[in-house]
Amino acid sequence: MKKLFFFAVAVALTIVAGTGCKGVMVSNAVGDTLQLKYAERIKIVECDGYSVVTLADPWNMGKTLHAYLLVPGDGSGASDDSLKVLHPGATIVHTPLKKALIATSVHCALTDELGAADAVGGVCDLQYINLPWVKEGVKSGKIRDCGSALSPTIETIIDLAPDAIFLSPFQNSGGYGRVSELNIPVIETADYMETSPLGRAEWMRFYGMLFGKEQQADSLFAEVDKEYGRLKAEGGMRKDEGGKKTVLMDKLTGSVWYVPGGKSTIGQMISDADIGYAWSEDESSGSLSLPFEAVLEKAMDADIWLFRYSAPHDITSKELLSEKAGYSQFRAFREGNIYGCNNSLNTFYEDTPFHPERLLRDFICIAHPEKNLGEPKYFIKVKK
């Protein structure tokens, strides 16, 4: 054990700094690498007495966004002092987490599904969380409302004293302000920058490790993977002799229409459902910001129009025209093939990031009704 320690120290001291995460690089950690099937922006190495989790910086190729050392909180793992020498600059997280501040509804939902809801001690952006158990927890005082994720209430966080804070990183955000000064591990939930739907879903294995729910996470992901593969095969077996149906996604937000890039998770799910998409050849993994005219020119003949929105009631086609009269120029609008996903009245954002098979099923239900998969779960046909 002592020889292993000094060998690891030697490795650590020969690594060149400057790769993000305060200059830490732990990709050469000595241990067994956990084989991930789809995720490309996370690496997990299980070492003697701790695990090393390295998150790739999605905005800077070859750089590290953050490195974590997951150490058993019962004292059975490596000591913090030795790990600080081995991996200077990495963030030590004692697991399983017993009280976490989770700023995103999707990660609250996953924590509940893994059987660790009792570890959610605080949330942010409560008004956007469509989870009854969270709202009840805040009402009863079991869960603390820590304000906005962009500017959380520091005093409430200090009083809560969580074991970790889950926050979403953004490009050029400038860090996490005063939260970074609290000496509380910040778990950067960069799963949304993964390169495939199943790649993002596979991050649940990392989150399972944080809450001591590794087996539950591995089993759940195996189920998601299997069902996604089954549905993808189902969608690809078309019985009709015509060409693919084509889809238009989302709608105007102000003067801008954000459409999923061809390499985004949504773009890839459209392809996996065997649906044509005007931006399928686009290489963007995020959204494209386009004016109305550009979308009309490229997708005016799409067979189906799917869009997401938030409203106190389900939108009608008449209301759509009141927003933008030009919508009537789209073939899908004229033929009544419009489906809206009202995020205020369903759990689309809570469910689909870690259950892409559910969204894939919606796409197949709508584009391939001959499959007889039933009604879609999130997208509802828009009435007049």
Side-chain angles (χ1 to χ4, degrees):
M1 181 69 178
K2 187 177 291 185
K3 289 182 179 179
L4 178 60
F5 173 79
F6 285 112
F7 172 76
V9 170
V11 171
L13 293 178
T14 58
I15 295 173
V16 179
T19 56
C21 189
K22 303 177 184 177
V24 68
M25 167 65 87
V26 291
S27 59
N28 290 337
V30 179
D32 298 322
T33 300
L34 182 65
Q35 296 301 313
L36 297 174
K37 192 172 181 181
Y38 303 99
E40 298 182 352
R41 302 194 185 280
I42 184 170
K43 181 178 180 180
I44 302 173
V45 180
E46 296 177 333
C47 304
D48 187 8
Y50 66 103
S51 296
V52 178
V53 180
T54 309
L55 310 186
D57 188 330
W59 301 287
N60 296 287
M61 184 72 70
K63 302 292 185 180
T64 299
L65 176 68
H66 210 129
Y68 300 97
L69 309 177
L70 310 189
V71 186
D74 60 6
S76 63
S79 71
D80 288 5
D81 289 340
S82 65
L83 291 177
K84 289 176 182 177
V85 175
L86 287 170
H87 309 296
T91 298
I92 296 175
V93 183
H94 295 118
T95 60
L97 298 176
K98 297 180 180 178
K99 183 167 56 176
L101 165 56
I102 302 184
T104 57
S105 60
V106 58
H107 297 95
C108 285
L110 176 64
T111 303
D112 180 40
E113 190 167 11
L114 294 178
D118 286 344
V120 179
V123 297
C124 290
D125 296 324
L126 180 62
Q127 67 272 31
Y128 300 120
I129 300 178
N130 290 337
L131 299 170
W133 65 271
V134 171
K135 294 184 182 295
E136 285 298 320
V138 172
K139 186 177 180 180
S140 68
K142 183 179 179 181
I143 298 175
R144 301 292 298 273
D145 181 356
C146 296
S148 165
L150 294 177
S151 182
T153 308
I154 298 299
E155 292 74 19
T156 303
I157 298 176
I158 293 174
D159 187 52
L160 176 65
D163 302 323
I165 302 173
F166 288 62
L167 292 171
S168 295
F170 296 98
Q171 187 176 21
N172 302 321
S173 66
Y176 300 105
R178 293 178 61 194
V179 171
S180 302
E181 303 170 3
L182 297 179
N183 199 31
I184 299 172
V186 173
I187 308 300
E188 300 198 73
T189 53
D191 50 83
Y192 76 97
M193 289 298 294
E194 264 297 338
T195 56
S196 69
L198 288 172
R200 181 178 189 180
E202 195 168 18
W203 276 56
M204 70 171 68
R205 301 178 69 185
F206 167 43
Y207 299 130
M209 293 175 70
L210 290 171
F211 290 100
K213 301 292 184 180
E214 296 96 325
Q215 291 184 350
Q216 292 89 330
D218 289 348
S219 296
L220 177 59
F221 178 70
E223 293 174 8
V224 170
D225 184 18
K226 181 179 180 180
E227 180 63 6
Y228 192 98
R230 185 190 72 80
L231 286 168
K232 180 179 177 180
E234 181 79 17
M237 294 188 294
R238 283 184 291 125
K239 297 178 181 178
D240 59 293
E241 297 181 0
K244 288 184 182 181
K245 288 186 178 178
T246 55
V247 68
L248 166 66
M249 287 298 302
D250 294 320
K251 63 187 184 73
L252 281 173
T253 301
S255 60
V256 178
W257 195 316
Y258 296 98
V259 301
K263 298 301 181 183
S264 67
T265 54
I266 294 291
Q268 292 182 60
M269 274 189 269
I270 291 171
S271 176
D272 288 343
D274 195 35
I275 305 173
Y277 184 53
W279 290 271
S280 62
E281 300 302 318
D282 173 76
E283 295 294 321
S284 303
S285 58
S287 296
L288 304 174
S289 306
L290 302 173
F292 175 84
E293 292 73 19
V295 177
L296 178 63
E297 180 181 359
K298 203 168 178 69
M300 65 185 303
D301 290 324
D303 299 296
I304 305 163
W305 181 15
L306 308 179
F307 62 86
R308 295 163 287 181
Y309 68 105
S310 295
H313 65 272
D314 290 333
I315 199 169
T316 65
S317 59
K318 184 177 180 180
E319 288 174 301
L320 280 172
L321 284 183
S322 70
E323 291 182 8
K324 181 71 176 181
Y327 287 150
S328 64
Q329 299 178 71
F330 289 96
R331 175 186 170 190
F333 183 93
R334 296 194 306 271
E335 296 183 356
N337 293 322
I338 322 167
Y339 295 80
C341 172
N342 190 347
N343 303 315
S344 294
L345 303 178
N346 62 37
T347 53
F348 174 89
Y349 282 119
E350 286 81 6
D351 296 348
T352 58
F354 293 109
H355 281 284
E357 80 283 7
R358 296 178 183 176
L359 181 54
L360 180 63
R361 179 186 175 280
D362 261 27
F363 288 167
I364 295 173
C365 285
I366 293 169
H368 306 296
E370 73 280 0
K371 299 294 182 182
N372 296 316
L373 295 182
E375 294 297 317
K377 178 178 176 64
Y378 305 103
F379 286 88
I380 298 174
K381 195 159 190 177
V382 174
K383 298 178 180 179
K384 293 183 179 181

